Amino acid sequence: MNRLALAVTLALLPALAHADPKQEPRPRKHGFSFELPELPVLPPLPQIEFPDIDVDVDMDLPGMIARNDRDEDEADSFDDEDTRSRDRDRRDQDREERDEDGNRVKIYKLNPQRNIRLPRVHLGREDSADSDREATARARGSGSATLEVKGPVTFQMRAQSGEIEVVSTERQQVSVTLTGAPAEDIALYAYGDRVEPTFRGKRTLRRGKLHVEVPRGSRLDISSMSGDVSVQRVGDVRIRTMSGQVKLSGVAKADVQSISGDTRIDDSSGPVRLHTVSGKSIVSTSGSAPQVEFQSASGSLEWAGSCGRDCHLSAETVSGDLRLLVDPRSSFELSYSSHSGELRDEMNLAVKHSPRRKAGFMSGGWIEATYGRGEGVIEADAFSGSVTVKKK
């Protein structure tokens, strides 16, 4: 027996000598014991590495259509009351305000229509199974590296906290330059038309600012934990991030999944797919037939562009607000459903269907309206978020 155990035993001897061997255990209250469990010793925190994560935020909020619990016959008895109070209910449901310029704004209060599905966000990817010896081309340098290529490539990389800036160039080469960190060995490896960088033999950028130049028309596939990503004039872009800021400008196609970072996409000429959990998203599209898909839990979306024939804008959020700045030359049909949000109409939409109240309850939480000839489609679902439609 070591000294510490002996000291503890000697200290407990007086209490043990006066203990009653017939003493009953303390009664439990409501079936719970008051004995505290032995607490384990917490191990030291490991060094943080960039994880390969699949972060799933995937759940359904039930469509909560307000209705009476009475049967149909009893509900029908309220028809007379509905007739007498319809005007009053309509005033409560729909109202008019004035914007900052004094123009009339129609407000439509809505209730639920259908379930809202939160986005599933996947973050991270596995390391390439290709070894450096399988590379078809390579280049190496200290603080920078340049690799000659034959045309557009797919540039693929990951970052932990470093900042990434990508621009296109007319030169047939891929170049990377690291600043804001001590010069270190950088290598570029090509596997066919795919190019990946390494930093000190590791495939993860951990610090500093990385400036990347790729041939015009190239594609990007970037995963970042907390670093910011900015891209200009590149083709297809795929970004996965946890909390980094994303800024894209002049890209052909954008696919962004983010947990909490803000996202800005300017002048996108192709489809935009944006899934977030929180954070603010600002998107502007070119052309009259944009394809935009937005899903978020509490993030907001501000979209600006034109919506005409073949346009399709889909936005789903639980508590985030949607702000649509529409070119007045647009032609679209709007469908909006919500539990407790509202539609702010600053474009004088032609309403085809709006919610009705019956015995103090909404009979439907959705609204349909058109602008112009109704050629494009805008769909918005928000559990508690509101939608504003105004001229760009």
Side-chain angles (χ1 to χ4, degrees):
M1 182 179 296
N2 56 38
R3 294 182 178 180
L4 179 60
L6 179 60
V8 172
T9 303
L10 293 176
L12 293 176
L13 282 177
L16 295 175
H18 293 84
D20 185 359
K22 296 182 179 180
Q23 183 179 0
E24 294 295 331
R26 293 183 180 180
R28 295 185 178 185
K29 294 184 178 180
H30 306 292
F32 292 96
S33 173
F34 289 93
E35 296 180 359
L36 295 177
E38 183 179 356
L39 297 177
V41 179
L42 296 177
L45 294 176
Q47 182 180 0
I48 298 177
E49 299 289 342
F50 186 89
D52 292 318
I53 310 174
D54 275 348
V55 180
D56 290 342
V57 181
D58 190 10
M59 58 182 291
D60 287 332
L61 292 179
M64 300 168 58
I65 300 178
R67 62 184 183 273
N68 285 324
D69 294 331
R70 302 174 176 86
D71 57 26
E72 293 296 331
D73 293 337
E74 189 174 355
D76 289 340
S77 65
F78 290 91
D79 287 343
D80 293 338
E81 171 63 20
D82 179 44
T83 301
R84 290 191 299 268
S85 62
R86 183 172 301 170
D87 292 340
R88 182 184 67 251
D89 293 336
R90 176 63 65 181
R91 287 193 298 270
D92 294 339
Q93 173 190 350
D94 305 332
R95 66 181 189 274
E96 291 184 355
E97 295 181 358
R98 298 285 177 175
D99 62 13
E100 59 272 14
D101 299 325
N103 299 320
R104 186 176 63 178
V105 179
K106 294 182 179 180
I107 309 296
Y108 299 89
K109 296 290 291 183
L110 301 183
N111 252 28
Q113 175 61 18
R114 55 180 186 264
N115 293 352
I116 296 175
R117 186 176 182 85
L118 298 185
R120 171 167 294 186
V121 178
H122 300 282
L123 177 64
R125 61 175 179 81
E126 295 182 357
D127 275 331
S128 173
D130 302 321
S131 66
D132 296 344
R133 289 175 295 183
E134 296 173 336
T136 56
R138 68 197 70 194
R140 190 182 300 273
S142 177
S144 65
T146 300
L147 177 67
E148 299 295 329
V149 295
K150 297 180 179 179
V153 300
T154 297
F155 185 80
Q156 195 172 58
M157 70 164 294
R158 58 170 51 188
Q160 179 170 331
S161 60
E163 182 179 347
I164 304 171
E165 178 186 56
V166 185
V167 298
S168 65
T169 177
E170 299 297 338
R171 294 187 293 270
Q172 300 299 299
Q173 65 182 32
V174 176
S175 65
V176 294
T177 303
L178 181 64
T179 58
E184 59 183 36
D185 179 57
I186 298 178
L188 290 170
Y189 294 93
Y191 306 93
D193 65 349
R194 189 180 85 248
V195 176
E196 296 186 24
T198 63
F199 310 89
R200 284 180 160 179
K202 305 293 185 181
R203 297 187 182 276
T204 300
L205 175 67
R206 302 184 183 279
R207 56 183 176 174
K209 179 178 180 179
L210 187 70
H211 177 80
V212 182
E213 295 184 1
V214 296
R216 186 175 298 276
S218 294
R219 298 165 299 278
L220 295 183
D221 187 353
I222 298 177
S223 298
S224 175
M225 191 170 185
S226 60
D228 297 342
V229 179
S230 64
V231 179
Q232 296 183 29
R233 302 183 307 278
V234 178
D236 297 351
V237 177
R238 181 179 183 270
I239 306 293
R240 301 292 183 265
T241 181
M242 290 189 68
S243 59
Q245 311 296 311
V246 177
K247 295 181 180 180
L248 311 180
S249 177
V251 300
K253 181 180 179 180
D255 182 355
V256 179
Q257 292 184 7
S258 174
I259 302 299
S260 61
D262 294 340
T263 300
R264 185 183 184 99
I265 303 176
D266 293 325
D267 193 27
S268 175
S269 60
V272 174
R273 181 175 180 264
L274 184 55
H275 289 194
T276 73
V277 176
S278 63
K280 182 178 181 180
S281 299
I282 300 177
V283 178
S284 66
T285 55
S286 59
S288 61
Q291 306 292 311
V292 179
E293 176 187 322
F294 174 77
Q295 291 184 343
S296 181
S298 60
S300 63
L301 170 67
E302 179 178 302
W303 170 78
S306 177
C307 185
R309 184 182 299 274
D310 298 326
C311 159
H312 188 193
L313 172 64
S314 173
E316 299 181 22
T317 179
V318 177
S319 59
D321 292 333
L322 307 175
R323 183 177 173 85
L324 309 179
L325 307 179
V326 187
D327 189 305
R329 296 169 294 181
S330 298
S331 172
F332 61 89
E333 182 175 282
L334 171 69
S335 173
Y336 170 51
S337 63
S338 178
H339 168 61
S340 59
E342 63 182 25
L343 170 65
R344 294 182 59 90
D345 174 17
E346 301 185 19
M347 294 188 67
N348 195 25
L349 302 173
V351 178
K352 297 167 57 178
H353 176 276
S354 60
R356 290 184 55 195
R357 288 179 180 267
K358 189 171 185 179
F361 292 91
M362 290 286 192
S363 61
W366 60 283
I367 186 171
E368 286 186 352
T370 59
Y371 184 81
R373 295 185 299 274
E375 297 171 296
V377 176
I378 297 179
E379 298 176 311
D381 293 315
F383 185 78
S384 61
S386 297
V387 175
T388 299
V389 182
K390 65 182 302 180
K391 293 182 180 180
K392 179 181 176 182

